[in-house]
Amino acid sequence: MRTAEDPAASIGARRLLVLFFLGLVVFLYAPIAVLAVFSFNDGDVAFPLQGFTLHWYRDALTNPVLLGALRRSVVVATASSVVAVALGVLAATALVRRRFAGKPIVSALVFSPLVVPYLVFGISLLVIFTAVDKVLTETMGVYIGLGLHAIVIGHVVVSLPYTVLTIMPLLERLSRSLDEAARDLGADAWQTFRRVTLPLLMPAVVSSFLIAFTLSFDEYAIASFLSGTEPTWPVYLFAQLRVPSLLPQLVAISSIVLVASVVLVVSAEVGRRVAERRYGAPAVGA
Amino acid sequence: MAGTVARGGPPRTRAERWGTLGLLSGPLAWLVLFFVLPVGFVAAYSFGVVRIFPTDGGPSLEDWERFLLGRSIYMGLFWKSVAMSFTVSAVVVLLAYPVGYYLALCVRKRKYVLLLLIIAPFLTSFLLRVLAWKVILGDRGVVNSLLYWLHLRPPGDPIPWLLYSQFTVMLVLAYVWVPFVALPIFASLDSLDRSLLEAAGDLGAGRWRTFLRVTLPLSLPGVTAAFVFVFVPTIGEFVTPQLVGGTAGYMYGNAINDLFTKGLDWQAGSVLAMFLLLVVVVLMMIFGRWVQVRSVAA
């Protein structure tokens, strides 16, 4: 820097900014930390602290209703993210690699779930499921009802833009000449995709899966309208908040979920960066 | 695309067109069937064009009229929610701006690690972060019990506005959204051409003047994006008010939720929901050009 002073901030201003930054970090982490501390407290979630215990964790991990809700969330998140990733790969390939009429409309449609409030989307699915069931029971005596399948359908819709957004950048960087080489060597479209494109896309596929999984696992608004008699973890958590005696258990299990999700997200991100550096780089540029 | 064009001739062979259709049919079918159709159905339902229950009225504009002309409580509730989410968005931007500024312009090493530190909470459970505040601010919660314990307040006499107030809803919403807006603000400041700041300095502008005339205007797209990112999802918010809002913090989204889940009036609920959707779509059309879709996934 040629000038003696930093044009961005003086020493005094810089100190203030550091303080502000630290203050915000405390504001962001203190509530989560408090929750974690009280999960080990041998008493209610209130001061004074009573001493260290693990029995809330033991209670939570042996509570069948709670574990059932967690299991349902794992099922819903797995199913919806597998579908969302599959559809995301298809949509991203079409948007990046193909020319077709109406591309702006297709792209707007794919990304539109990002702006529609989950509340509005959730009630829309509730209304359509009710209406369809009404017709089906009257005409054929069939009843679909709400439940995990309905939540999966909704979560795929809201996850799709994220999976497409995660896959598109890598697809843009992958050289088309690799595909063309495979085709020239006699591979058909499916073989090219299966043996060339997909392996190269793997880092983005894995990270989009994890993004979709975390989104679905944590999603409450849509699930609350569609769960019927099968509450997923967030729906169960929300419903149980009114029962004070359960609070320490919920706090304990939430701490586990929190740590697991942080580990998952961070490792996904690290994995993606590493993989991109290793495999993505040589293929960059078309 | 440039490659295929350079080789001459349009790439649209019959096979390729079918291939594109094959790629798009799955995602489009899913979105039309499970997204466009349900939302369209609710829109039609709000006008009484389709009926579900025997009690539903026929085609009429009555529900829309009653709502839009303010003959029901819901229009007032809508403006209350607008005011609340406007305040939240402004506060969040004011909180995130100095942090974005510090990380983008004052930190040289490890700025992305520090940025991740701010963003990380957003990657954890939304419900959990709201729950944390409920536990902290409750009548027998962490703050009040600490005050009793330290004899700063007589036991059984909690601070009344701590939970179940508009203030709490806004505090928790701000808490939830700060990490998210730090990103667009940081990005706009980080991409700022540093030599412009030096030039302003060389031309005799003080730091404060440089900030007001150069840095701030150039970062406004990021600020606008951040504001919209918070404003749009918070007008339709109903989970946070339900947990920490009580009756004072009741928002427009809660009215929609109640009209549906408590089975009061689905048709009126559809009107409210479609109006919310309309507002959000209009906002995105106005501000969309500042909001890069891709920055969401950055």
Side-chain angles (χ1 to χ4, degrees), chain A residues 1-3 5-10 14 17-18 20-21 24-25 27-29 31-32 34-35 38 45-48 83 87 90-91 93-94 96 98-101 103 106 109-117 119-121 123-128 130-131 134 152-153 156-157 160 162 165 168 172 176 180 218 220-221 224-225 234 237-238 241 244 247 251 254 258 261-262 265, chain B residues 1 4-5 7 10-12 16 19-20 23-24 26-28 30-31 34-39 41-42 52-53 94-95 98-99 101-103 105-106 108 114 117-118 120-121 123-128 131-133 135-136 140-142 145-146 149 171 175 178-179 194 197-198 202 207 232 236 238-239 242-243 253 256-257 260-261 266 273-274 276-277 280 284 293-294 296-297:
Chain A
M1 201 152 294
R2 256 173 292 133
T3 42
E5 321 184 298
D6 186 341
S10 65
R14 193 176 292 241
L17 286 170
V18 173
F20 194 90
F21 175 80
L24 197 75
V25 170
F27 174 62
L28 287 177
Y29 284 89
I32 303 174
V34 163
L35 217 54
F38 277 101
V45 185
F47 278 105
V83 178
L87 295 179
L90 296 176
T93 309
V96 173
R98 301 303 177 107
R99 292 207 306 178
F100 54 90
K103 198 181 221 180
V106 169
L109 178 62
V110 168
F111 295 126
S112 57
L114 286 176
V115 291
V116 172
L119 170 65
V120 174
F121 180 51
I123 60 128
S124 299
L125 281 178
L126 171 68
V127 168
I128 202 94
T130 313
K134 195 99 180 149
V152 169
I153 284 173
V156 170
V157 171
L160 189 58
Y162 291 98
L165 279 172
M168 271 174 78
E172 275 163 1
R176 291 169 69 112
E180 281 159 16
D218 185 40
Y220 170 78
S224 73
F225 294 106
L237 177 62
F238 190 94
L241 284 178
L247 194 57
V251 169
S254 298
L258 185 84
S261 65
V262 169
V265 168
Chain B
M1 208 155 287
T4 45
V5 173
R7 273 205 312 272
R12 294 188 189 178
E16 200 172 317
T20 307
L23 287 173
L24 283 173
L28 287 188
W30 196 283
L31 286 173
F34 301 128
F35 182 61
V36 178
L37 187 72
V39 174
F41 190 85
V42 171
I52 301 176
F53 303 115
L94 286 177
L95 285 176
V99 171
Y101 187 92
Y102 171 69
L103 293 180
L105 298 175
C106 302
R108 302 245 154 68
L114 293 177
L117 191 66
I118 296 286
L123 305 174
T124 66
S125 164
F126 164 79
L127 207 54
L128 190 64
L131 161 73
W133 283 102
V135 168
I136 290 168
R140 283 182 299 164
V142 174
S145 65
L146 182 67
W149 187 40
L171 170 78
Y175 171 79
V178 162
R194 285 276 214 130
L197 302 186
E198 283 170 35
D202 290 346
R207 287 194 195 90
V232 165
F238 73 105
V239 181
Q242 226 176 328
L243 278 173
I256 299 178
N257 181 41
F260 278 95
T261 53
W266 278 29
M274 284 302 111
L276 175 64
L277 183 61
V280 168
M284 289 312 290
V293 172
R294 291 191 171 201
V296 177

Side-chain angles (χ1 to χ4, degrees), chain B:
Chain B
M1 208 155 287
T4 45
V5 173
R7 273 205 312 272
R12 294 188 189 178
T13 61
R14 182 176 291 258
E16 200 172 317
R17 222 173 302 163
W18 279 108
T20 307
L21 199 67
L23 287 173
L24 283 173
S25 57
L28 287 188
W30 196 283
L31 286 173
V32 168
L33 212 55
F34 301 128
F35 182 61
V36 178
L37 187 72
V39 174
F41 190 85
V42 171
Y45 186 58
S46 77
F47 289 105
V49 179
V50 288
R51 296 169 65 165
I52 301 176
F53 303 115
T55 49
D56 288 340
S60 86
L61 297 172
E62 206 193 300
D63 276 325
W64 274 97
E65 249 175 48
R66 192 168 349 122
F67 169 65
L68 289 175
L69 297 178
R71 285 208 293 268
S72 58
I73 54 161
Y74 300 119
M75 200 39 124
L77 203 55
F78 173 73
W79 287 112
K80 175 190 171 187
S81 303
V82 168
M84 282 171 77
S85 43
F86 195 90
T87 315
V88 169
S89 314
V91 167
V92 161
V93 167
L94 286 177
L95 285 176
Y97 197 92
V99 171
Y101 187 92
Y102 171 69
L103 293 180
L105 298 175
C106 302
V107 179
R108 302 245 154 68
K109 285 182 195 165
R110 296 181 191 280
K111 56 175 148 183
Y112 292 99
V113 176
L114 293 177
L115 181 68
L116 191 64
L117 191 66
I118 296 286
I119 296 172
F122 197 78
L123 305 174
T124 66
S125 164
F126 164 79
L127 207 54
L128 190 64
R129 283 177 294 149
V130 181
L131 161 73
W133 283 102
K134 193 181 162 78
V135 168
I136 290 168
L137 300 176
D139 284 353
R140 283 182 299 164
V142 174
V143 169
N144 278 316
S145 65
L146 182 67
L147 292 176
Y148 305 153
W149 187 40
L150 297 174
H151 298 289
L152 291 173
R153 243 185 128 82
D157 178 25
I159 303 172
W161 47 264
L162 215 48
L163 193 60
Y164 305 127
S165 68
Q166 258 191 58
F167 161 79
T168 323
V169 174
M170 293 196 279
L171 170 78
V172 175
L173 284 177
Y175 171 79
V176 166
W177 288 101
V178 162
F180 192 60
V181 302
L183 194 61
I185 292 178
F186 169 83
S188 70
L189 286 165
D190 198 43
S191 61
L192 195 83
D193 187 351
R194 285 276 214 130
S195 58
L196 289 176
L197 302 186
E198 283 170 35
D202 290 346
L203 291 172
R207 287 194 195 90
W208 189 236
R209 205 171 149 82
T210 305
F211 173 73
L212 285 180
R213 305 293 290 270
V214 181
T215 317
L216 186 61
L218 285 173
S219 63
L220 274 185
V223 169
T224 313
F227 193 92
V228 176
F229 276 155
V230 183
F231 191 71
V232 165
T234 47
I235 336 177
E237 173 65 77
F238 73 105
V239 181
T240 308
Q242 226 176 328
L243 278 173
V244 298
T247 44
Y250 195 82
M251 288 175 79
Y252 184 74
N254 296 102
I256 299 178
N257 181 41
D258 283 352
L259 283 170
F260 278 95
T261 53
K262 296 190 176 154
L264 295 174
D265 187 346
W266 278 29
Q267 242 169 337
S270 300
V271 171
L272 264 60
M274 284 302 111
F275 181 72
L276 175 64
L277 183 61
L278 201 68
V279 169
V280 168
V281 168
V282 168
L283 280 175
M284 289 312 290
M285 279 162 79
I286 297 171
F287 295 104
R289 58 201 177 104
W290 282 296
V291 183
Q292 292 287 314
V293 172
R294 291 191 171 201
S295 57
V296 177

Side-chain angles (χ1 to χ4, degrees), chain A residues 111-185:
Chain A
F111 295 126
S112 57
L114 286 176
V115 291
V116 172
Y118 285 10
L119 170 65
V120 174
F121 180 51
I123 60 128
S124 299
L125 281 178
L126 171 68
V127 168
I128 202 94
F129 265 92
T130 313
V132 167
D133 267 340
K134 195 99 180 149
V135 174
L136 286 182
T137 39
E138 277 163 14
T139 56
M140 296 188 283
V142 185
Y143 182 73
I144 303 172
L146 298 166
L148 301 188
H149 57 281
I151 305 177
V152 169
I153 284 173
H155 284 181
V156 170
V157 171
V158 294
S159 303
L160 189 58
Y162 291 98
T163 60
V164 173
L165 279 172
T166 319
I167 294 165
M168 271 174 78
L170 185 54
L171 207 53
E172 275 163 1
R173 287 172 46 205
L174 287 181
S175 171
R176 291 169 69 112
S177 53
L178 289 171
D179 282 24
E180 281 159 16
R183 300 297 288 269
D184 290 346
L185 291 170

Side-chain angles (χ1 to χ4, degrees), chain A residues 27-123:
Chain A
F27 174 62
L28 287 177
Y29 284 89
I32 303 174
V34 163
L35 217 54
V37 166
F38 277 101
S39 72
F40 295 108
N41 180 33
D42 194 5
D44 287 338
V45 185
F47 278 105
L49 288 162
Q50 304 285 345
F52 182 86
T53 179
L54 284 175
H55 78 246
W56 300 124
Y57 283 88
R58 202 185 51 230
D59 288 357
L61 291 172
T62 53
N63 180 339
V65 188
L66 194 158
L67 292 179
L70 276 175
R71 199 172 304 126
R72 271 184 223 113
S73 273
V74 171
V75 169
V76 167
T78 309
S80 68
S81 38
V82 166
V83 178
V85 170
L87 295 179
V89 169
L90 296 176
T93 309
L95 288 174
V96 173
R97 291 279 166 94
R98 301 303 177 107
R99 292 207 306 178
F100 54 90
K103 198 181 221 180
I105 298 171
V106 169
S107 144
L109 178 62
V110 168
F111 295 126
S112 57
L114 286 176
V115 291
V116 172
Y118 285 10
L119 170 65
V120 174
F121 180 51
I123 60 128

